[in-house]
Amino acid sequence: ESRVAMGVSVDAFLGLVRALAAKDEPLLVMHTAALYLAAARCDGAVSHGVLHPMVCHELVARLRASLGAVGGRSSKPTSKRATADKPDVALSADFKAARSAVLTELASLLEHVPLRSHPEVLSQFVSLLVSMVPSCAITANDESSLGALAHCLHARPGDASHTTPIVFRSLVPPLSLNIEGAPSSKEAAAAQMACADFIATVCHSADASTTDGRALLHAAQAAMQHASAAAPERAEPRAAVCASLARLLRCLPPVCTSRYASFLWSYSRNAKVAARVFATDMAAAMLGSAVHSTALRLPEVVGVLWRLITHRLDDRVALVRGRALTALAAVITVGPSLLGLAQEPVPVAA
């Protein structure tokens, strides 16, 4: 406020930020972003238009190009000559320090500045934080992007019923191993685990009797369903998605488990073969995890999953029937005690 009164121009400051962010120098872009985020936290900055949607959009785009969607790799192809002319800053101490500064300033902004009237800016910041998950997860960064993302779930950034779906919807690509920028399998797996742990942590103590608690659990349910629909068709990554979601469900309240089992039953009757294959594999993964989880041992959940697998034994596609047989054998071997909770008896060969 006082700076504006003294004649400091917000438009001039935003112009300077855009000019610096346009430079093809990753460290300069990150330092510019940290400065901009710090300025946005100043008293009166938001009311004077510092959080301009277009500036935030351009800055986030430049940050993602500099940081890379996955640990410092550019999401756009570059020529060999351009690569040779520039030092590799992705693993340097300066790069890590600049990335840490951006995360720290963004976390502080989300924690202290209300963004209810700036939903488009909030969406940009959420997108940026999620794009940084692989690099932070693989390097065990202390200033985790998911730690900063947790501030979006509090009341200050905006109404929880609005902000929570934005946050959880952004976690679908890492959960389903569909991360932009084609990270390595190690980075993708680390990001997937980090996102699953994040959802489990924030939902573990959610109170379904409160408005915020219900919004949190519904958003988590929607994220798991979208991740299921987006799961890769190839066997190995599909199995990784099933294992991750099953591990996540073990940590969630029983109401989430019951709802997901009902979704899975409906999904198993989808016309797409890939959907029925995933539903069968996911049912087997959940029953396998039920041995170690009270939430997954609910009779209604076990009954639905068991019926799902046995019904797929008669599927018209051989691939689905084969997956159902494999799932059936695995369930009988791993958790024979679960069969007593099922609503249908073990099918007897004619």
Side-chain angles (χ1 to χ4, degrees):
E1 298 260 8
S2 60
R3 297 293 182 185
V4 173
M6 293 169 59
V8 175
S9 170
V10 172
D11 290 339
F13 172 70
L14 295 180
L16 176 62
V17 169
R18 295 178 68 179
L20 292 175
K23 300 290 185 179
D24 195 15
E25 301 177 26
L27 290 179
L28 177 60
V29 172
M30 286 186 278
H31 287 306
T32 300
L35 174 64
Y36 173 76
L37 294 170
R41 285 193 291 111
C42 295
D43 291 339
V46 175
S47 62
H48 283 92
V50 172
L51 282 179
H52 193 283
M54 185 58 67
V55 175
C56 288
H57 175 78
E58 293 180 6
L59 188 59
V60 167
R62 292 296 302 139
L63 266 176
R64 294 186 68 169
S66 300
L67 291 164
V70 283
R73 289 196 302 269
S74 175
S75 58
K76 295 182 179 180
T78 56
S79 66
K80 292 183 178 179
R81 180 177 179 180
T83 303
D85 291 342
K86 294 180 182 179
D88 183 11
V89 300
L91 299 179
S92 71
D94 289 340
F95 177 89
K96 294 178 181 178
R99 180 182 65 181
S100 178
V102 171
L103 282 173
T104 300
E105 293 297 341
L106 184 50
S108 186
L109 175 69
L110 293 171
E111 184 179 7
H112 297 104
V113 178
L115 297 176
R116 292 181 180 86
S117 58
H118 297 80
E120 66 285 350
V121 172
L122 178 62
S123 297
Q124 290 291 330
F125 289 159
V126 169
S127 172
L128 172 64
L129 288 171
V130 172
S131 73
M132 296 171 69
V133 169
S135 62
C136 291
I138 202 69
T139 57
N141 194 39
D142 291 336
E143 291 84 7
S144 167
S145 61
L146 289 174
L149 198 63
H151 293 300
C152 298
L153 302 175
H154 300 156
R156 180 168 289 273
D159 182 25
S161 62
H162 173 71
T163 59
T164 302
I166 293 176
V167 172
F168 279 79
R169 187 163 55 244
S170 68
L171 299 177
V172 170
L175 281 176
S176 59
L177 298 178
N178 287 305
I179 306 175
E180 180 185 354
S184 67
S185 58
K186 186 177 181 180
E187 289 173 320
Q192 183 188 55
M193 180 175 293
C195 290
D197 290 343
F198 173 78
I199 295 176
T201 300
V202 299
C203 292
H204 180 69
S205 57
D207 186 357
S209 63
T210 65
T211 302
D212 289 352
R214 286 193 296 271
L216 201 61
L217 295 178
H218 286 157
Q221 179 70 40
M224 289 188 293
Q225 292 181 10
H226 284 298
S228 301
E233 295 186 13
R234 293 186 296 115
E236 186 174 348
R238 182 180 67 237
V241 172
C242 290
S244 179
L245 292 179
R247 188 171 64 88
L248 172 57
L249 285 165
R250 288 167 53 183
C251 306
L252 297 181
V255 62
C256 290
T257 307
S258 298
R259 288 174 180 168
Y260 185 80
S262 298
F263 156 77
L264 208 59
W265 169 259
S266 300
Y267 197 53
S268 71
R269 306 173 75 82
N270 193 291
K272 295 182 179 179
V273 175
R276 302 200 300 276
V277 170
F278 176 86
T280 304
D281 286 355
M282 187 63 208
M286 290 176 66
L287 288 174
S289 296
V291 178
H292 311 287
S293 171
T294 303
L296 291 175
R297 288 179 64 88
L298 295 174
E300 61 268 28
V301 172
V302 174
V304 168
L305 299 177
W306 177 255
R307 286 198 298 274
L308 187 160
I309 293 174
T310 55
H311 276 65
R312 290 306 101 205
L313 292 172
D314 295 327
D315 197 279
R316 65 179 182 275
V317 177
L319 174 61
V320 181
R321 294 197 301 270
R323 298 308 304 163
L325 282 171
T326 302
L328 187 66
V331 171
I332 292 177
T333 302
V334 175
S337 60
L338 296 176
L339 302 182
L341 300 175
Q343 299 298 312
E344 290 185 3
V346 179
V348 179

